[in-house]
Amino acid sequence: MTQTLTGPAALTRLTEDEALFRDSVYEFADKEIRPLSREMDEHAKMSRELIDKLFELGIMGIEVPESRAGATFFHSVLAVESLSRVDPSIGVLVDVQNTLVINAILRWGSEQIKHRYLPKLASSTIGAYCLSEAGSGSDAFALTTRAIEKGDGYALTGRKLWITNGNEADLFIVFATMNPEAGYRGITAFLVDRGMAGFTVGKKEDKLGIRASSTCELLFEDCVVPRSAVLGEVGKGYKVAIETLNEGRIGIGAQMVGLAQGALDHTVKYVRDRKQFGKPISDFQGVQFQLARMAIDVETSRLLVYNAARLRDAGLPFLQEAAMCKIVSSEAAERVTSAAVNLYGGYGFVKDYPVEKLYRDAKIGQIYEGTSNMQLVTIAKGLLG
């Protein structure tokens, strides 16, 4: 695991503050989340009491100045990694809250918006980021949700799909087009509160993995929001989306690193305890080689994620690095969890043991916030100019 130091050095070495923060989040996850993880997965529902404890811990608004002085984007990455080591569903809840919703408001919100929403997001309110539609996945800006001027505001009409935190959220960043003929330049981002007339949360998806994390459709039927609800500028929603998602991909990378580390932790313990042919299976070289490759996958992914996060905090370009960390970590998580199931043998295939869940949870990493193919497109464009 990572070590601490007082000055800059290896990417995975943390300052004392960073190490204390990471350890405190993991201790919380081990004590408060682990006992609930299987039940939340089975019922596909997140504990509200647990969510309240996340707010109390101060990790639902990490970069909000009033929440934790001196916190950085890298602290959000550490929190997502530590939580996902126990339950990736909780990891993505905190990830979307910090790297997408709060990040977008910090960067693009007016002072009025920041004053109204940031304190609530840090203390009690969950946010959701609403871009995807039935015909707008990898082609993210092929939006059909419309926004038209109406009175002193804008009326939103359309349908969003696959929205993380949809059941729990009270604040939604919604992307809609005001001028379909203008393509991506017609898109604007709006802030919509739960309970507004014309807005309803629809079907909740029944998913393969990260089941405790809600994924829902959203329906807008002449939902009128005030002009003050525009996030950024009218017609600049594409910029809000692109720049926020670049950072969100680092958060997903952190989720996958934590998930893979959790699977490796479980597997190391299991192979030491499991005996065959009169000795622990950890004594067999074939098992040792598989563990070694799992560890390589975890550490390689961590290096890429930490590098991208530190570049972001330093104000340096990180577009390619974010794409690289997401694709590498998500594919590594699938390999590591698959190897974990194999090493558990028959026990790995049943729900009584934790690696079965982590195996299911890993698959989404190659799909959401930009599929692996889209990350390859980004990387190739950077190479070819």
Side-chain angles (χ1 to χ4, degrees):
M1 289 298 294
T2 51
Q3 301 175 20
T4 62
L5 80 168
T6 55
L11 281 172
T12 54
R13 293 197 177 185
L14 307 180
T15 65
E16 183 177 359
D17 173 70
E18 290 167 346
L20 287 171
F21 177 76
R22 177 206 61 194
D23 292 345
S24 67
V25 175
Y26 178 70
E27 287 170 9
F28 169 86
D30 192 43
K31 178 183 177 183
E32 301 288 347
I33 299 174
R34 198 180 298 282
L36 302 175
S37 183
R38 182 178 174 188
E39 179 183 357
M40 290 192 299
D41 181 72
E42 289 179 349
H43 295 287
K45 184 175 178 61
M46 199 170 290
S47 162
R48 182 65 219 194
E49 182 181 356
L50 178 58
I51 292 173
D52 292 340
K53 290 179 179 179
L54 292 168
F55 279 109
E56 291 171 10
L57 188 62
I59 58 174
M60 293 298 281
I62 293 171
E63 289 188 84
V64 175
E66 297 82 3
S67 178
R68 192 172 189 276
T72 63
F73 180 81
F74 188 71
H75 285 89
S76 296
V77 164
L78 291 174
V80 173
E81 179 189 356
S82 298
L83 294 167
S84 300
R85 191 173 160 191
V86 174
D87 192 335
S89 291
I90 306 299
V92 77
L93 168 79
V94 173
D95 174 42
V96 169
Q97 180 86 350
N98 284 281
T99 72
L100 293 182
V101 177
I102 288 175
N103 183 25
I105 291 175
L106 283 170
R107 178 175 296 186
W108 301 101
S110 64
E111 289 305 312
Q112 178 187 359
I113 285 173
K114 291 177 183 177
H115 179 75
R116 178 180 178 185
Y117 288 111
L118 288 178
K120 293 193 290 187
L121 286 165
S123 61
S124 61
T125 297
I126 293 173
Y129 190 85
C130 314
L131 180 62
S132 297
E133 299 181 3
S136 171
S138 292
D139 186 5
F141 297 133
L143 301 181
T144 60
T145 297
R146 289 296 308 274
I148 60 172
E149 293 193 56
K150 186 171 185 178
D152 293 329
Y154 302 92
L156 308 182
T157 299
R159 176 173 174 247
K160 295 291 183 180
L161 289 181
W162 308 301
I163 304 305
T164 301
N165 297 349
N167 257 6
E168 297 82 13
D170 287 312
L171 174 65
F172 301 79
I173 299 178
V174 180
F175 294 86
T177 181
M178 296 184 65
N179 181 8
E181 290 72 30
Y184 70 90
R185 295 186 183 278
I187 295 170
T188 300
F190 299 90
L191 293 172
V192 180
D193 293 300
R194 182 184 287 271
M196 296 187 76
F199 169 44
T200 56
V201 177
K203 175 189 174 186
K204 176 174 173 287
E205 302 294 344
D206 188 10
K207 307 194 301 290
L208 170 73
I210 60 166
R211 290 174 52 78
S213 168
S214 66
T215 303
C216 303
E217 70 170 348
L218 308 179
L219 304 171
F220 300 90
E221 298 179 14
D222 198 30
C223 174
V224 179
V225 299
R227 292 185 182 274
S228 60
V230 172
L231 183 62
E233 300 176 34
V234 172
K236 294 295 179 66
Y238 72 93
K239 192 171 180 62
V240 177
I242 287 174
E243 296 193 9
T244 308
L245 284 171
N246 289 338
E247 291 158 327
R249 288 180 186 123
I250 305 174
I252 297 303
Q255 181 198 27
M256 293 295 110
V257 170
L259 186 161
Q261 182 67 61
L264 179 58
D265 293 342
H266 288 301
T267 307
V268 168
K269 182 179 185 303
Y270 178 79
V271 298
R272 284 173 169 164
D273 294 338
R274 173 68 168 167
K275 289 183 171 59
Q276 290 287 273
F277 306 102
K279 58 182 177 180
I281 64 172
S282 60
D283 287 355
F284 294 102
Q285 191 176 65
V287 171
Q288 294 171 4
F289 283 0
Q290 291 182 73
L291 291 173
R293 290 194 177 278
M294 293 165 74
I296 291 167
D297 267 338
V298 172
E299 193 65 8
T300 301
S301 302
R302 182 177 285 120
L303 283 166
L304 285 168
V305 169
Y306 284 15
N307 182 54
R310 292 200 187 278
L311 286 172
R312 186 273 188 189
D313 277 338
L316 298 170
F318 63 91
L319 176 60
Q320 282 184 282
E321 289 80 4
M324 288 177 180
C325 84
K326 182 182 183 294
I327 190 170
V328 169
S329 63
S330 60
E331 292 180 353
E334 185 174 51
R335 286 193 299 270
V336 169
T337 55
S338 179
V341 170
N342 289 346
L343 288 169
Y344 266 73
Y347 293 116
F349 204 66
V350 298
K351 294 181 180 293
D352 290 340
Y353 291 81
V355 293
E356 177 271 343
K357 176 183 180 299
L358 292 174
Y359 181 57
R360 288 186 286 106
D361 289 346
K363 190 59 196 177
I364 190 61
Q366 297 176 52
I367 300 171
Y368 62 6
E369 291 198 37
T371 64
S372 293
N373 280 343
M374 295 308 296
Q375 305 315 308
L376 292 172
V377 168
T378 297
I379 295 164
K381 281 183 178 178
L383 292 173
L384 298 173

